[in-house]
Amino acid sequence: MTDQPTPDDNPLVPFLRSGPPPDRTTWEGWQQWRRIRNTFIPAPRLSLQEYLDLSPRRRGLHDLHRTATHVNMRLLDTPMSRRVEDLMRGRLQNNAVKFMPGTRDGLMINGGGFHGKTETSCSAAASFEDLWRDIYRQFLPGQGQLAGARDVFVPVAYCRLPVRATPKALCKAVLDIYGDPHPKHLDDLIRAVKEAVRDHNTTALLIDDVTRLRLHRADDQDTLDLIRELMDLNVTLALIGVDIPGSGLLRGAYIDPRTKQWVFPDVKRGKSHNEQASTQTERRFDMVDLDPFDYTTPAGITAFLDHLAGIEDQLRLFNSFNGMLTTGEMPEYLFRRTHGIVGLLRRLIEDGCTEAIASREERLTPELLARTSIRLGNLADLDPDAGEIPEIPDNVQPPQQPTSRAKRPRNTVFDDRGSQRAADG
């Protein structure tokens, strides 16, 4: 008779990622991310006693699972993100079912660094793709590829504009989505891009970091012209950038007083990469702003508190309590530390939870967060000159007289042997 394996013998740790994170700038990576984006299972909620009853190995795994939970919190809706998502989904669906030829109205998603533009835009595009793929499975049942074509179905394509953009660099970034080769000459590159978008039946093309274009160089202006001409491919173009109104990208454009859309006149004949550009209609974009939270109005404060409550519900700290992030001095402190920028708030909470676990305090307080720096991680792929790295607010100190904690549960910490003791203070 052989011994049965115990739970501690199980070598599988299902909450850990296998391999590198998906690269959304390739169609394979985008599909991988789209399929797994809502599948992470957070750590179970254990009481402190249940945790202490675990074996040392299981406690270590649970701590790791808690850490994974804190750094993989689900994307929370905000009034600002819902406005972007609603516009994107509506525009993508409307353009996808239009039969008439001609340019499709585009989108510009504007906001500051770490405001959540990329994640919000990609989430909305992925939701559209979920719907669009379901339609195609009904229209072409069992088809993994387009009927009569060797090309895979890529309804949504996402790329980032290179830091030093040129028409050739943009074309290569688009072709890399599909894994297609790069012709040597610009005319051939542009032709290959048009064929790739058509052959893969791409409905939406997202171009991120578009405000890396400075427009004081001829290459920048030529790249912008090429971007606008991509709208002639019967594809919805979504441009994502930091401070688009102040970047110069709207130079030569005007707002239509009737539709409130930004209108870009056709590029002049002789400078266009599209031999038929002069016959096309003007290209129109709707611009939507993804702003930080506002703490100056009752509606803004309520939205911020709701967001904090959504974050608090995802935390796995043993000494947390209802209202840990939403009562007392904590909301105002968090806003002053992050200026209401969702990306900075997320990083502060992540690192604060790491400190709370390491210090055995197991809860977030202004005092703990005051000794937690906001670290933005690897910024090598961001362009500070384009505003992609936000200014981090000074490390605001907590109030000298914190509010009463009479209703808070007793703070309990434990040593390495699992013995409980009351925390100091």
Side-chain angles (χ1 to χ4, degrees), residues 57 178 188 196 236 269 271 274 295 314 329 348 361 377 422:
R57 178 181 183 273
Y178 308 103
D188 294 332
T236 301
R269 184 186 296 273
K271 292 186 177 181
N274 182 349
Y295 209 72
Q314 300 182 68
E329 70 274 10
L348 178 61
E361 294 183 47

Side-chain angles (χ1 to χ4, degrees), residues 25-28 152 172-182 196 200:
T25 63
T26 68
W27 75 265
E28 299 98 329
V152 293
K172 292 177 181 179
V174 174
L175 292 174
D176 284 343
I177 298 171
Y178 308 103
D180 289 356
H182 302 163
H200 295 276

Side-chain angles (χ1 to χ4, degrees), residues 23-31 33-34 88-89 92-93 96 118 121-133 136 152-159 174 177-178 196-197 200-207 235-236 238 240:
D23 179 5
R24 291 185 293 203
T25 63
T26 68
W27 75 265
E28 299 98 329
W30 175 273
Q31 294 309 315
W33 169 78
R34 184 181 65 85
M88 279 197 68
R89 290 191 185 117
L92 292 177
Q93 291 180 23
T118 296
S121 302
C122 288
S123 177
S127 295
F128 162 76
E129 181 170 342
D130 292 341
L131 170 65
W132 204 238
R133 283 187 175 276
Y136 260 78
V152 293
F153 183 31
V154 185
V156 173
Y158 169 84
C159 70
V174 174
I177 298 171
Y178 308 103
V197 170
H200 295 276
N201 203 24
T202 298
T203 303
L205 175 60
L206 281 60
I207 302 180
V235 63
T236 301
I240 307 167

